[in-house]
């Protein structure tokens, strides 16, 4: 077999060598998780490295034996006699039962040790954050030592900040996970960690972002299928230095107290508050213009709408998402501006005719208040 | 052994549709199982191609999330419950009575009933596509997502279909156990049973103990959804984690239901094509029983991230179950050593099983290390792992069995060249599809997503996986062509084309109704080898 001439073989090997040298580093890297950004992540990474080494060794030994047997023991035309009929060997069986047992016992012990450090919780974490995972977005509340929300609106209600979790680097953060609907999972690849967000149950864990990672932002994503918006259910973790963090938190606290809550954006209960709408949904009957708008796959089918100024109009809103809530809110100017129309939240598949009171000419935004970060469009009134 | 005592009973296989629908012959039922399962394999494969097509590039091109979620849910459910479990049961149906020298299964009519529940259950599930959407919660159907508030009629059809399929499995298990315990030929003691029969025996015990739990859970889910039960929905005082416990209490042992018979087939095939006995017969039996027993104590390793599991116990048990599996691997490799290996197509697929299942075993060990599982759980790493086990293991093993027993079932040999093309294409395509998924998982790509960001850096590996997926699909063409031409013009197989060891090769191909008119003496686990070489050969 392998009747390759030496020169040809050498050429192939040289080529392979060059290819390996060029791509080698990145290929090897791709067998490892990303660089960890938390103290717990470093522990997990160390464990991964050991597991990977042992796994690679076993892989090469056993695959090597198989390949060797396939090459060495192929039947030759001259083989007319039967090969030796070996039925087994008890000593060998015992040996190759004990060796794997020792290996897995070792792996179990080191992973148990790592588990204990990863799961350890601090008696007095510096920061306590609550993550609220809801179909299909994330929001975060910051709790004081008394377990009450630090950031509150003028009405005293807890305010949760959508989309981004800000944490102090180098300090222990205690995270509690809440879901009002189905199971989600909090997953940040660079933490090398995830934990399910289970309705009816509070899961918690501690983590500490490396002090050197202040200023970094980490991508996070829901890791437990939660419905049609699952793939878009992402968030960010922003690490700041502790001083920056404190300043940021103070700013959020004062800001929230001053501004009326933007209609329930990111509030934990999916139905939201009645909102600060200045115009109710039961408008005058004599609308001339009807706009069509459909929500499907957690997106509006249009990103811009146009309506006549100073006269009532209708929005025929269709929610095509099975068992998912959507609505249409109209905000002055930007999607976070004052709410001028607050449509009823409906669960798909369903539709509503929203009657909107006359609006002065200008620029507006329409937003689904259940998905304020992803379902957004512009409304031009002229 | 070129001649045969009986004239091949070919006419029995030419009879009409009516005969096939009413038959209680275990061989015909076995073939029905195999053909039905292959049809569902192709359907589920098409669904997988849809998944891969959508993921080839970032952004939504073909299937928006509402449809995408149905695709992978039905893909996973059908592959497991309508393809791999039933096709292995089908081979067992065909082969086990022959290997133990029995005329049929113990309860032939129940056998027919078990089979006919399968297409019925499958069709029910697929009708979901026409009633506003099939089930879309993943094959695991986690609650509350599977509750009425979040999912439509497709999920009811899914549950009812699975209840039927589960009942079919339970009936089948009772049938196998009775057959194996009560209908063995004289001289065929338990420790002379072919390893395939042992694996079917252990599998049947698993099915008997685990499947009723799952079937009950499905009924509870159905009650939750339709009659206001409060079992699994925390919004009404139920418990979401309870579903996961009962689901995995069944579905982890079910993984062994999907793998043990394939191991059994490979354990039949490797010795024949190495011209040696299986190394460590008794070790195999004990390892199989050990896997079966330990299989009931590892279910919660699918739930490490729920925060509701006593982690060290399930981590330990999961590591431990690697030991009997490792013992098997070593014994297979030792069977090859000092043999005279013949690389016919069944042997190639059996070697494919060894090399690929090994990877599935090793990358599973990563998840047994709980903290590492915190990183890998529900990412594409898991998709890689489960396909190395179920495709690299079970499907390669199944094809080994298909090429090996096709001559017995039809009286004709399959074409070797086409078989080898099939093997090479499938082997290459399989690794192209699933190896890159390890890297995707490490980089943080979650499973069950219809879309991903172009900025995530996952695009190239996803494209590679899609190319691999279509290569696998291509490999089915030479296979189907092979079956078609061989059924008509294939070389006649004779009784024993492979110089095999077990009783099914002592009768004609295909065997007559009731299988044997006389049986050779059974003095070891290789009665046909003894017949060819005399007892002396056994101890040479
Ligand atoms: C034709 C070759 C196959 C391809 C290309 C393929 C592809 C895939 C892909 C890409 C996924 C992940 C979907 C997602 O998470 O979004 C998946 C899931 C899955 N596959 Fe396959 N697969 C193939 C064959 C098989 C076989 C033979 C089996 C079992 C015997 C199987 C069982 C599963 C299961 C159980 C899932 C999980 C489904 C879920 O998450 O609910 N697949 N497959
Ligand atoms: Cu989610």
């Amino acid at each position: 077999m392998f009747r390759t001439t030496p020169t040809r073989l050498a050429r192939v090997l040289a080529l392979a060598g060059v290819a390996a040298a060029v791509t080698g580093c990145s290929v090897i890297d791709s067998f490892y998780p990303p660089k960890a950004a938390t103290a717990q992540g470093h522990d997990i990474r160390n464990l991964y490295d050991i597991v990977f080494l042992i796994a690679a060794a076993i892989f090469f030994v056993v695959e090597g034996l198989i390949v060797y047997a396939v090459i060495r023991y192929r039947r030759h035309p001259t083989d007319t006699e039967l090969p030796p009929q070996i039925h087994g060997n008890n000593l060998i069986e015992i040996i190759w039962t004990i060796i794997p047992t020792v290996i897995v016992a070792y792996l179990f012990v080191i992973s148990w040790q790592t588990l204990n450090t990863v799961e350890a919780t601090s008696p007095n974490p510096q920061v306590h954050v609550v993550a609220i995972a809801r179909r299909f977005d994330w929001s975060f509340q910051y709790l004081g030592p008394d377990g009450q929300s630090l950031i509150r609106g003028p009405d005293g209600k807890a305010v949760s900040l959508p989309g981004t979790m800000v944490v102090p680097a180098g300090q222990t953060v205690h995270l509690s996970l809440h879901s009002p609907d189905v199971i989600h999972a909090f997953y940040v690849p660079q933490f090398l960690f995830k934990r399910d967000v289970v309705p009816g149950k509070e899961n918690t864990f501690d983590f500490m972002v490396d002090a050197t990672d202040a200023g970094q932002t980490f991508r996070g994503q829901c890791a437990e299928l939660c419905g049609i918006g699952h793939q878009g259910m992402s968030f960010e973790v922003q690490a700041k230095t502790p001083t920056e963090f404190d300043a940021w938190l103070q700013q959020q606290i004062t800001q929230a107290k001053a501004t009326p809550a933007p209609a329930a954006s990111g509030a934990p209960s999916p139905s939201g508050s009645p909102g600060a709408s200045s115009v109710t949904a039961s408008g005058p009957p004599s609308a001339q213009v009807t706009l069509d708008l459909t929500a499907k796959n957690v997106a509006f089918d249009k990103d811009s709408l146009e309506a006549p100024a100073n006269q009532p109009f209708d929005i025929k809103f269709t929610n095509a998402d099975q068992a998912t809530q959507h609505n249409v809110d109209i905000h002055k100017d930007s999607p976070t501006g004052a709410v001028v129309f607050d449509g009823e939240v409906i669960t798909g598949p369903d539709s509503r005719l929203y009657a909107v009171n006359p609006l002065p000419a200008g620029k507006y935004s329409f937003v689904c208040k259940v998905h304020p970060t992803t379902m957004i469009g512009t409304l031009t009134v002229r | 052994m070129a001649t045969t005592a009986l004239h091949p009973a070919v006419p029995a296989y030419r009879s009409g549709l009516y005969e096939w629908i009413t038959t209680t012959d275990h061989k015909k039922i076995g073939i029905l199982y195999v053909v039905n399962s292959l049809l569902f394999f192709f359907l589920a494969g098409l669904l997988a191609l849809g998944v891969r097509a959508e993921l080839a590039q970032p952004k939504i091109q073909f299937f928006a999330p509402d449809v995408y979620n149905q695709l992978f849910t039905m893909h996973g459910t059908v592959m497991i419950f309508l393809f791999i479990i039933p096709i292995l049961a089908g081979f067992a149906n065909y082969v086990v009575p022959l290997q133990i020298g029995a005329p049929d299964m113990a309860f032939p009519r129940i056998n027919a009933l078990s089979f006919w529940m399968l297409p019925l259950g499958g069709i029910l599930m697929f009708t979901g596509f026409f009633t506003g959407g099939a089930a879309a919660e993943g094959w695991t159907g986690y609650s509350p997502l599977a509750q009425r508030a979040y999912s439509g009629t497709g999920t009811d059809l899914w549950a009812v279909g699975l209840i039927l399929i589960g009942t079919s499995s339970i009936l089948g298990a009772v049938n196998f156990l009775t057959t194996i315990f009560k209908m063995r030929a004289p001289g065929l003691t338990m420790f002379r049973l072919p390893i395939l029969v042992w694996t079917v025996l252990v599998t049947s015990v698993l099915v008997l103990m685990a499947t009723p739990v799952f079937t009950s859970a499905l009924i509870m889910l159905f009650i939750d959804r339709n009659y206001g039960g409060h079992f699994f929905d925390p919004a009404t005082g139920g418990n979401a984690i309870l579903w996961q416990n009962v689901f995995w209490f069944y579905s982890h042992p079910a993984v062994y239901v999907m793998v043990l018979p394939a191991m059994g087939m490979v354990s039949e095939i490797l010795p024949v094509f190495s011209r040696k006995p299986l190394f460590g017969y008794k070790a195999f039996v004990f390892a199989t029983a050990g896997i079966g027993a330990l299989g009931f104590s590892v279910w919660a390793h699918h739930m490490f991230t729920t925060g509701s599991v006593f982690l060290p116990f399930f981590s330990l048990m999961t590591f431990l179950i690697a030991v009997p599996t490792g013992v098997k691997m070593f014994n297979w490799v030792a069977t090859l050593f000092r043999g005279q290996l013949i690389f016919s197509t069944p042997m190639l697929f059996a070697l494919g099983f060894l090399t690929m299942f090994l990877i599935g075993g090793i990358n599973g060990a990563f998840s047994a290390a709980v903290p590492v599982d915190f990183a890998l759980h529900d990412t594409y790493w898991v998709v890689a792992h489960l396909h190395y086990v179920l495709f690299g293991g079970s499907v390669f093993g199944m094809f080994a069995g298909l090429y090996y027993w096709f001559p017995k079932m039809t009286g004709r040999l399959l074409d070797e060249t086409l078989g080898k093309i099939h093997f090479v294409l499938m082997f290459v395509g399989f690794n192209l599809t699933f190896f890159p998924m390890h890297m995707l998982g490490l980089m943080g790509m979650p499973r069950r997503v219809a879309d991903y960001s172009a900025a995530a850096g996952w695009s190239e590996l996803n494209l590679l996986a899609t190319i691999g997926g279509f290569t696998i699909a291509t490999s089915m063409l030479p296979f189907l062509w092979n079956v078609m031409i061989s059924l008509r013009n294939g070389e006649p197989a004779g009784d024993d084309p492979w110089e095999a060891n077990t009783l099914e090769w002592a009768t004609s191909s295909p065997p007559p109704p009731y299988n044997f008119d006389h049986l050779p003496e059974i003095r070891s686990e290789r009665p046909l080898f003894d017949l060819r070489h005399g007892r002396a050969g056994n101890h040479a």
Side-chain angles (χ1 to χ4, degrees):
Chain A
M1 34 170 337
F2 291 154
R3 252 178 215 267
T4 348
T5 56
T7 47
R8 210 169 122 211
L9 195 67
R11 222 182 307 150
V12 171
L13 282 181
L15 246 161
V18 172
V22 173
T23 57
C25 281
S26 66
V27 168
I28 302 246
D29 279 351
S30 70
F31 284 99
Y32 287 93
K35 189 179 133 340
T38 58
Q40 290 76 6
H42 291 296
D43 289 340
I44 296 177
R45 173 60 189 264
N46 291 340
L47 177 64
Y48 179 92
D49 289 355
I50 299 175
V51 177
F52 181 78
L53 269 183
I54 294 177
I58 296 174
F59 171 81
F60 282 113
V61 169
V62 182
E63 297 285 8
L65 288 172
I66 297 173
V67 171
Y68 173 80
V70 162
I71 294 170
R72 170 71 180 73
Y73 298 111
R74 48 191 13 246
R75 187 182 191 183
H76 297 284
T78 51
D79 291 336
T80 46
E81 293 280 289
L82 280 177
Q85 300 293 298
I86 311 155
H87 284 260
N89 179 320
N90 286 342
L91 182 64
I92 294 186
E93 298 290 346
I94 292 171
I95 292 175
W96 67 39
T97 307
I98 290 178
I99 292 178
T101 310
V102 171
I103 296 177
V104 298
Y106 169 70
L107 285 173
F108 168 67
V109 170
I110 58 170
S111 46
W112 194 2
Q113 285 167 342
T114 309
L115 182 63
N116 288 335
T117 62
V118 169
E119 295 266 281
T121 48
S122 155
N124 46 356
Q126 277 97 339
V127 182
H128 186 176
V129 184
V130 180
I132 298 149
R134 183 186 60 169
R135 300 188 348 143
F136 298 100
D137 53 36
W138 296 86
S139 57
F140 302 91
Q141 291 183 358
Y142 297 78
L143 305 191
D146 57 351
Q148 299 299 311
S149 173
L150 294 170
I151 307 177
R152 290 167 178 282
D155 53 359
K157 277 207 194 129
V159 169
S160 24
L161 306 177
T164 305
M165 173 167 73
V166 180
V167 295
Q171 294 194 338
T172 301
V173 178
H174 182 71
L175 187 64
S176 312
L177 303 171
H178 280 271
S179 164
D181 43 45
V182 302
I183 304 176
H184 304 275
F186 178 95
Y187 175 38
V188 180
Q190 279 188 264
F191 290 10
L192 276 65
F193 189 82
K194 70 178 65 66
R195 179 64 38 100
D196 294 357
V197 192
V198 183
K201 174 178 192 308
E202 183 180 65
N203 273 334
T204 61
F205 62 92
D206 283 8
F207 67 91
M208 186 175 78
V209 175
D210 294 341
T212 48
D213 277 331
Q216 300 275 11
T217 300
F218 308 104
R219 189 184 56 81
Q221 188 168 1
C222 175
E224 182 67 61
L225 177 66
C226 55
I228 48 174
H230 171 57
Q231 68 287 329
M233 189 168 158
S234 52
F235 59 93
E236 279 183 349
V237 180
Q238 237 176 55
K240 293 187 189 293
T241 61
T243 27
E244 276 172 4
F245 174 79
D246 289 339
W248 173 85
L249 193 61
Q250 279 315 315
Q251 187 197 346
Q252 296 302 316
I253 293 170
T254 36
Q255 209 172 3
K257 219 172 265 163
T259 30
S265 100
S269 116
S271 53
S273 63
S277 55
S278 54
V279 182
T280 55
S282 54
S286 61
Q288 312 263 297
V289 179
T290 303
L291 308 175
D292 274 309
L293 187 62
T294 299
K296 187 159 170 17
N297 296 323
V298 202
F300 287 124
D301 63 336
K302 302 194 177 72
D303 48 22
S304 63
L305 289 174
E306 238 177 72
N310 305 320
Q311 67 181 71
F313 64 94
D314 288 345
I315 299 176
K316 185 170 180 304
F317 175 59
T318 310
N319 175 355
D321 285 342
Q322 168 80 33
T324 304
Q325 296 182 318
H326 297 297
N327 86 328
V328 180
D329 277 358
I330 298 176
H331 297 246
K332 184 85 188 86
D333 299 322
S334 78
T336 50
V339 176
V340 296
F341 170 79
D342 179 24
E344 182 194 350
V345 176
I346 56 173
T347 303
D350 200 353
S351 64
R352 284 288 183 285
L353 195 66
Y354 294 136
V356 185
N357 280 347
L359 293 174
K363 194 173 151 289
Y364 298 82
S365 302
F366 60 92
V367 178
C368 165
K369 77 173 170 196
V370 186
H371 305 93
T373 49
T374 45
M375 294 177 64
I376 299 170
T378 57
L379 170 70
T380 315
V381 178
R382 59 169 146 232
Chain B
M1 289 301 293
T3 58
T4 161
L6 283 159
H7 188 66
V10 175
Y13 289 82
R14 292 261 168 80
S15 36
L17 189 63
Y18 181 77
E19 166 65 19
W20 280 100
I21 291 176
T22 56
T23 184
T24 58
D25 178 343
H26 76 98
K27 297 183 291 300
K28 286 190 182 162
I29 293 175
I31 290 173
L32 283 173
Y33 262 103
V34 170
V35 172
N36 180 64
S37 306
L38 283 175
L39 288 177
F40 280 110
F41 174 52
F42 295 135
L43 278 178
L46 285 179
L47 299 175
L49 291 185
V51 166
R52 283 308 337 158
E54 180 48 55
L55 293 178
Q57 296 169 49
K59 295 222 173 67
I60 302 290
Q61 287 90 18
F62 305 102
F63 303 106
D66 53 344
V67 179
Y68 180 87
N69 293 0
Q70 298 172 35
L71 290 185
F72 69 74
T73 300
M74 289 298 283
H75 162 72
T77 308
V78 172
M79 280 292 186
I80 285 178
F81 295 103
L82 285 159
F83 163 56
I84 203 74
I85 293 180
I87 202 166
L88 293 171
F91 279 106
N93 229 296
Y94 194 97
V95 177
V96 165
L98 285 164
Q99 283 196 333
I100 64 171
D104 204 318
M105 294 282 281
F107 308 113
R109 283 164 182 243
I110 290 185
N111 200 21
L113 177 65
S114 312
F115 168 73
W116 286 104
M117 289 170 124
L118 291 173
L120 185 63
I123 289 168
L124 270 180
M125 261 192 237
F126 270 96
T127 48
F129 281 112
F130 310 105
T131 60
E137 299 81 52
W139 81 282
T140 48
Y142 277 7
S143 229
L145 190 58
Q147 294 289 340
R148 172 69 68 231
Y150 304 104
S151 56
T153 322
T155 304
D156 290 312
L157 292 162
W158 176 85
V160 173
L162 286 182
I163 291 169
L164 279 175
I165 295 168
T167 311
S168 144
S169 288
I170 296 168
L171 293 177
V174 172
N175 215 340
F176 280 124
L177 286 176
T178 318
T179 309
I180 295 170
F181 283 126
K182 288 289 171 200
M183 298 181 63
R184 299 193 308 277
L188 192 53
T189 60
M190 289 307 273
F191 278 117
R192 289 176 188 167
L193 282 180
I195 291 293
L196 174 64
V197 179
W198 268 109
T199 56
V200 172
L201 191 156
V202 173
T203 301
S204 303
V205 173
L206 292 181
V207 168
L208 207 57
M209 289 170 65
T211 313
V213 176
F214 182 46
T215 318
S216 325
L218 286 164
I219 294 172
M220 288 154 85
L221 177 67
F222 194 83
I223 294 173
D224 263 10
R225 291 176 52 84
N226 295 294
Y227 308 111
H230 306 292
F231 296 109
F232 305 125
D233 186 2
T236 52
N239 186 333
I241 300 295
L242 176 63
W243 167 266
Q244 298 190 19
N245 274 308
V246 282
F247 178 85
W248 288 114
F249 183 84
Y250 162 74
S251 288
H252 196 83
V255 174
Y256 301 108
V257 172
M258 295 177 243
V259 168
L260 286 177
M263 289 177 164
M265 293 178 170
V266 168
S267 307
E268 297 298 310
I269 291 165
L270 289 177
V272 169
F273 294 92
S274 308
R275 290 164 53 84
K276 273 181 66 201
L278 185 67
F279 194 93
Y281 173 94
K282 283 202 178 164
F284 257 99
V285 173
F286 295 136
T288 306
I291 292 175
L294 287 174
F296 278 103
S297 59
V298 299
W299 78 87
H301 70 208
H302 298 271
M303 300 162 57
F304 282 158
T305 62
T306 56
S308 308
V309 169
F310 182 58
L311 301 169
F313 172 78
F314 287 101
S315 169
L316 177 64
M317 297 318 277
T318 305
F319 273 123
L320 280 184
I321 208 165
V323 175
T325 317
V327 167
K328 290 192 168 196
M329 186 55 77
F330 296 133
N331 278 299
W332 284 320
V333 177
T335 304
L336 302 177
F337 267 72
R338 305 185 59 195
Q340 294 166 0
L341 310 192
I342 305 160
F343 298 107
S344 304
T345 314
M347 180 65 158
L348 290 180
F349 277 99
L351 291 169
F353 172 97
L354 286 197
T355 49
M356 296 299 102
F357 182 72
L358 175 69
I359 299 180
I362 291 176
N363 63 16
F366 283 71
S367 294
V370 180
V372 175
D373 186 67
F374 288 163
L376 302 178
H377 180 73
D378 267 338
T379 68
Y380 260 85
W381 176 282
V382 174
V383 180
H385 163 63
L386 78 92
H387 286 89
Y388 270 91
V389 172
L390 294 181
F391 196 135
S394 307
V395 176
F396 274 87
M398 183 282 289
F399 272 114
L402 190 84
Y403 279 90
Y404 182 65
W405 280 296
F406 184 90
K408 181 53 59 183
M409 294 177 169
T410 64
R412 306 237 180 226
L413 289 169
L414 283 165
D415 182 80
E416 277 289 311
T417 313
L418 285 171
K420 281 171 183 154
I421 295 175
H422 170 199
F423 171 75
V424 171
L425 276 177
M426 196 166 108
F427 189 85
V428 172
F430 169 74
N431 282 293
L432 267 184
T433 312
F434 296 109
F435 202 81
M437 291 186 188
H438 291 112
M439 285 101 179
L440 286 171
L442 287 171
M443 285 192 244
M445 177 162 170
R447 65 193 285 199
R448 299 171 169 175
V449 292
D451 188 15
Y452 50 91
S453 156
W458 304 333
S459 313
E460 288 79 15
L461 290 172
N462 267 304
L463 182 61
L464 202 61
T466 299
I467 294 172
F470 281 83
T471 312
I472 298 175
T474 313
S475 78
M476 291 300 128
L477 300 178
F479 165 65
L480 287 175
W481 178 243
N482 197 350
V483 170
M484 265 175 2
I485 59 166
S486 302
L487 275 178
R488 268 199 233 135
N489 306 321
E491 203 183 312
D495 291 1
D496 183 11
W498 312 119
E499 300 201 354
N501 296 326
T502 41
L503 286 179
E504 74 270 33
W505 306 100
T507 183
S508 58
S509 307
Y514 307 111
N515 300 343
F516 300 94
D517 73 338
H518 76 277
L519 282 166
E521 257 191 306
I522 302 163
R523 289 279 174 270
S524 76
E525 85 282 10
R526 297 193 294 169
L528 258 72
F529 179 91
D530 299 344
L531 200 64
R532 265 197 312 276
H533 301 281
R535 285 286 288 155
N538 223 345
H539 289 290

